[in-house]
Amino acid sequence: MAPHKLCMIPGPIEFHEDVLAAMSTPATSHVDPNFVPIFGESIEMVRKVVLSENAQPFIVSGSCTLGWDMMVNLLEQGDEVLALNTGYFGDHFSECLEIYGANITTLKADVGSRPTNDALKEALSSGKKYKMVTVTHVDTSTGVLSDIKAIAETVKSISPETLVVVDGVCSVGSEEIRFDDWKLDIVISGSQKGLGVPPGLSVVVASQQALKVFKTRSSPIVSYYSNWNKWLPIMEAYESRKPAYFATPAVQLIYALHASLKAITSQPMEVRFNEHRKVSSEFRQTIRGLGLKTVAQCEECSANGMTAVWLPEGIEIPQLVPSLASKGVQIAGGILDGLAGKYFRIGHMGISVTEPKRGHIDKVVEALTSSLTELGYKA
Ligand SMILES: Cc1ncc(COP(=O)(O)O)c(C=O)c1O
């Protein structure tokens, strides 16, 4: 691999050499008999990553935001949506759904925490019939992990028809997700975070209940490219090893996705979840050892694939980020409105976690520690 700064932002993450090599295929037709099973197997492996037997994956060219847009397939004008908000990405997910006619009720937690289950129960019992409850599994702006198992349990016990829609962009591949057992309806993701593939693929998984809502809706879907009437036959065709065309798939990215999913699914998902849990817990301990505080306010609500950390007094992002960059490590500043300059974010996903011999985590900790010291910080 070409020399480069170690990319320790919360996505895109570091790519495995095999994933990059898989992309460098010669020009290949999207209906080539060699490519068709690659696409078909990728669809099947996405299902395995979210531990589902019969959910429907959609793999479509686009960034993860396209997954938000795909909710146009489920929403009709005036539908009520309850949005559980833990940061910037929750705000923008809601902004997207409003474009498609949703009336949003937001349960917003204080920065670093998450809405309580009691607040969710109260909202669901208020008399409003919610079409969907949305939740950002890990809000990449805060590193807060939502308890989607408990949320889905509450939603399905109070209002079984309400769809549980999870933005899993910063969680799929690094956090435990049991799509079927937890009765989730939608998980939205993409290539460049826990799946360890360059940016450019939107990956969305839909339950049979969600597909029923899509198929029985009464108004037309006001979108062309994100319309599941176009994409569902394509996914079904490739999964049954037949070529089909609606819009040209990103052939080389799908080769890369296939290589990464093969590695991810070569062992039980529990192993991967536990590796991420262990590394993130140790990372938070290191942060506390440096006398710093994470944005996430509790251990259970801390993401396993990234950490957001408050800056110490007197040190600013325009000092810290370039200082780490000069040591060959790329980290990210904050993005929360009004607080962006007050904290930094570090990703710990994929091969940086599953292949400790690469030394990525050690390198980011070393660079952070010496940059802080150079900038005058005393723990
Ligand atoms: C939680 C979350 N949702 C959605 C997105 C949007 O993804 P993309 O930038 O790939 O469109 C991001 C991007 O970082 C994210 O972290």
Side-chain angles (χ1 to χ4, degrees):
M1 201 182 300
H4 67 291
K5 270 183 292 202
L6 191 62
C7 192
M8 299 302 282
I9 66 172
I13 66 165
E14 281 290 318
F15 309 130
H16 196 289
E17 295 77 3
D18 293 350
V19 171
L20 293 181
M23 291 186 76
S24 27
T25 63
T28 304
S29 161
H30 51 285
V31 293
D32 188 295
N34 291 325
F35 174 66
V36 172
I38 296 292
F39 202 165
E41 285 168 24
S42 299
I43 294 168
E44 289 160 1
M45 289 190 287
V46 164
R47 205 177 272 123
K48 285 189 184 160
V49 167
V50 298
L51 297 171
S52 177
E53 292 293 327
N54 63 4
Q56 177 62 56
F58 293 87
I59 302 174
V60 176
S61 308
S63 83
C64 309
T65 301
L66 176 60
W68 291 352
D69 268 308
M70 280 195 185
M71 297 308 102
V72 68
N73 290 284
L74 301 171
L75 287 172
E76 300 196 54
Q77 201 61 38
D79 276 346
E80 299 292 341
V81 170
L82 180 62
L84 304 181
N85 184 308
T86 50
Y88 172 98
F89 288 99
D91 294 344
H92 292 278
F93 190 10
S94 291
E95 182 189 14
C96 172
L97 300 185
E98 266 179 336
I99 302 241
Y100 299 120
N103 289 331
I104 312 277
T105 304
T106 303
L107 289 182
K108 197 173 178 107
D110 291 341
V111 172
S113 67
R114 49 195 192 187
T116 64
N117 206 32
D118 283 346
L120 172 61
K121 278 186 190 157
E122 199 182 312
L124 288 168
S125 312
S126 69
K128 251 188 212 169
K129 196 76 210 148
Y130 289 107
K131 177 74 158 283
M132 59 174 70
V133 168
T134 62
V135 53
T136 315
H137 195 186
V138 170
D139 200 301
T140 321
S141 65
T142 54
V144 168
L145 172 70
S146 289
D147 185 351
I148 57 169
K149 177 179 184 230
I151 290 166
E153 221 167 73
T154 301
V155 172
K156 294 297 178 183
S157 70
I158 298 177
S159 176
E161 319 80 66
T162 300
L163 300 172
V164 176
V165 174
V166 177
D167 174 344
V169 170
C170 196
S171 72
V172 169
S174 57
E175 303 288 350
E176 181 174 10
I177 298 179
R178 297 183 181 279
F179 193 94
D180 290 357
D181 289 355
W182 296 351
K183 299 193 167 47
L184 307 178
D185 290 297
I186 297 287
V187 169
I188 293 166
S189 187
S191 45
Q192 76 270 23
K193 300 197 194 246
L195 297 179
V197 175
L201 289 177
S202 156
V203 177
V204 172
V205 182
S207 69
Q208 291 304 320
Q209 187 179 342
L211 288 185
K212 190 165 165 215
V213 168
F214 151 68
K215 285 175 182 166
T216 56
R217 60 181 290 136
S218 43
S219 58
I221 295 161
V222 286
S223 170
Y224 188 70
Y225 184 69
S226 33
N227 195 317
W228 286 349
N229 285 313
K230 301 287 187 190
W231 286 115
L232 189 54
I234 306 298
M235 297 303 131
E236 288 171 345
Y238 277 94
E239 197 168 353
S240 55
R241 307 298 188 262
K242 292 191 193 90
Y245 173 73
F246 161 52
T248 309
V251 172
Q252 280 67 26
L253 277 174
I254 291 171
Y255 269 108
L257 179 68
H258 184 267
S260 193
L261 289 173
K262 248 188 135 166
I264 292 172
T265 57
S266 66
Q267 56 179 358
M269 289 305 294
E270 285 75 16
V271 174
R272 191 174 178 86
F273 303 149
N274 286 333
E275 286 168 340
H276 281 79
R277 281 193 193 107
K278 179 171 176 288
V279 167
S280 66
S281 155
E282 288 167 0
F283 187 75
R284 287 192 297 277
Q285 244 170 290
T286 304
I287 290 297
R288 283 192 291 268
L290 288 169
L292 302 177
K293 271 178 76 174
T294 62
V295 174
Q297 288 178 11
C298 58
E299 275 297 282
E300 328 76 81
C301 65
S302 295
N304 293 296
M306 65 158 292
T307 303
V309 183
W310 293 115
L311 278 170
E313 201 66 41
I315 296 183
E316 298 189 347
I317 289 294
Q319 300 172 297
L320 186 68
V321 172
S323 174
L324 270 95
S326 73
K327 298 175 176 63
V329 179
Q330 183 72 57
I331 63 164
I335 45 169
L336 269 179
D337 283 345
L339 292 171
K342 304 263 182 229
Y343 69 103
F344 61 93
R345 297 172 302 143
I346 290 179
H348 31 81
M349 286 177 249
I351 58 169
S352 297
V353 166
T354 59
E355 298 186 10
K357 280 201 186 116
R358 291 179 185 262
H360 292 176
I361 306 294
D362 295 341
K363 191 163 179 195
V364 73
V365 167
E366 252 170 59
L368 178 65
T369 310
S370 53
S371 287
L372 287 169
T373 307
E374 283 161 27
L375 294 169
Y377 174 68
K378 288 186 188 67

